[in-house]
Amino acid sequence: MSFNNGSPSSNSGKLTAYRGHVVSPIDRATYKDIPEGVIVVDENGLINAVGKWSDFQRQQFSHVVNYGKQLIMPGFIDLHIHLAQIAQAGRSGDTLLGWLTKYIFPEEAKFASVDHAQHRANWFFRELAANGTTLASVFTSVHGKATDIAFKAADAFGSRVIMGRVFMDTNSPESLTDDPQKALAESDDLCSRWHGKDNDRLMYAFTPRFAPTSTSASMKAIGELWARHPGSYMQTHLSENIDEIKWVAQLFPSCKNYLDVYHTHGLTGKNSLFAHSIHLSDDEKALLVKTSSSVAHCPSSNFFLKSGAFPIREMERAGVKFGLGSDVAAGPEMSMFKVMRDAAFMQSVDWLSPAELLYLATLAGAVAVNKQDRLGSLDAGKEADFIIVDPTRKSSVDPELLEHPAEDILSNLVYVGDDRMIVSTYVRGKAIYEAKQAETPGALNYGSRVS
Ligand code: GUN
Ligand code: ZN
């Protein structure tokens, strides 16, 4: 196996070399492991080459950034997160429907204030970057202005997002109940102005919250609008909680099952993304596959709200496309390290390898949103969305860990990883987050504190 994506690059334009230990998924089971590696990034923020530094060291670069033994990995892809819920993370007290009423709806109503929306958007995008997430699929709230503010904040910060204004026009508190015509017009306008901006760094997703808070007429209209914006996305929730599923059956008695509600309203297909999808029938799984729809598996959220367990091997066998989502605030943390760990812990019998979990948190997410040609791994021709990771920045980690084989390091990342391990986050070759320099690495910090 060769780890080079092609030969050392021809010298066109300005090239920056990032040296470090390159770890990047190839597929579910395998990954590139180049201990003294390099990724070469061109002036457009695309990866020009990946390989061993010894094959490149005689080449001229505009800059060489040497991260030593620290890891260079693709940034995380979080397929499902709620910007407007960030302040409610960790508020536990009920299962889905009660939790929405008690904690979430009052919080989302605050986004009618543009000052509030601005403050929260700034906080949200900084946090995403600090956690090493380089693409997130984001729900905002039912507020057009707040969603516009969120896009502006993402644009200014340099984040990559798929994002959309939430749509709810029935069974919702008054403060969050949309006038459907206004909601459609605002969604249409937001998509027209933001989808595809900066060469697809910013993308739009039509975002009906879930079937219980949508009328049949509004879902149909959203489906038609989505079809009029080629390349845009549709995101919603599906089959998360048993009471929710029973409610959907009562509300839409003529539909065969929960997914059929979305399907009959034109909301399945390529670029549709369904969060949770825990309790699906075989027919629903087959329909996801047939329509090329994708799923965001959100294990931390499923634990938090006692929603149930995602049948990961069944979904795989059925051929459903899925990656991972934090689902903040039902998921208590944005860190995809925690989400990987929870995905592993959720399976009470099946063992998921660290390599597979890394794949699920990166390349599988790119596949789920049909962007695997550009995102999800470190390969020539893809966007330079990468993170620098140093596990020894966490004081409980063996300070010698980076001397170990990649297999050990990956296992540590999955089971003890958190945001302290993120050194830098790059989107399209631009550093959008750099951690403060630790005085001394890892456990030695502890030593200096007690001395
Ligand atoms: N179903 C409908 N809305 C939500 C939400 O905000 N979070 C979760 N986890 N499930 C939902
Ligand atoms: Zn959600």
Side-chain angles (χ1 to χ4, degrees), residues 80-82 85 139 209 237 240 275-276 298 301 327-328 330:
H80 185 73
I81 184 164
H82 296 260
Q85 297 177 11
F139 283 50
R209 174 169 222 119
H237 297 91
E240 175 179 5
H276 306 297
C298 308
S301 161
D327 194 22
V328 163

Side-chain angles (χ1 to χ4, degrees), residues 284-396:
E284 289 172 294
K285 288 178 205 137
L287 185 57
L288 284 171
V289 175
K290 188 172 149 212
T291 56
S292 197
S293 305
S294 299
V295 163
H297 167 33
C298 308
S300 315
S301 161
N302 301 158
F303 279 138
F304 188 80
L305 292 178
K306 305 277 175 238
S307 301
F310 185 77
I312 199 163
R313 295 300 182 214
E314 271 175 42
M315 295 293 266
E316 240 178 272
R317 274 195 294 277
V320 177
K321 286 188 284 184
F322 64 88
L324 298 179
S326 67
D327 194 22
V328 163
E333 293 190 70
M334 270 193 199
S335 173
M336 295 301 287
F337 289 123
K338 305 285 189 186
V339 177
M340 288 193 284
R341 184 174 77 164
D342 285 344
F345 284 170
M346 175 168 277
Q347 302 309 314
S348 53
V349 180
D350 293 308
W351 184 73
L352 305 190
S353 72
E356 181 171 10
L357 291 156
L358 173 69
Y359 169 80
L360 288 174
T362 56
L363 190 51
V367 172
V369 296
N370 303 296
K371 287 277 182 272
Q372 66 274 21
D373 294 346
R374 293 179 59 185
L375 305 174
S377 62
L378 303 177
D379 290 293
K382 287 198 181 187
E383 304 258 349
D385 288 10
F386 62 97
I387 53 178
I388 308 301
V389 181
D390 184 348
T392 67
R393 288 174 62 95
K394 184 171 172 183
S395 57
S396 61

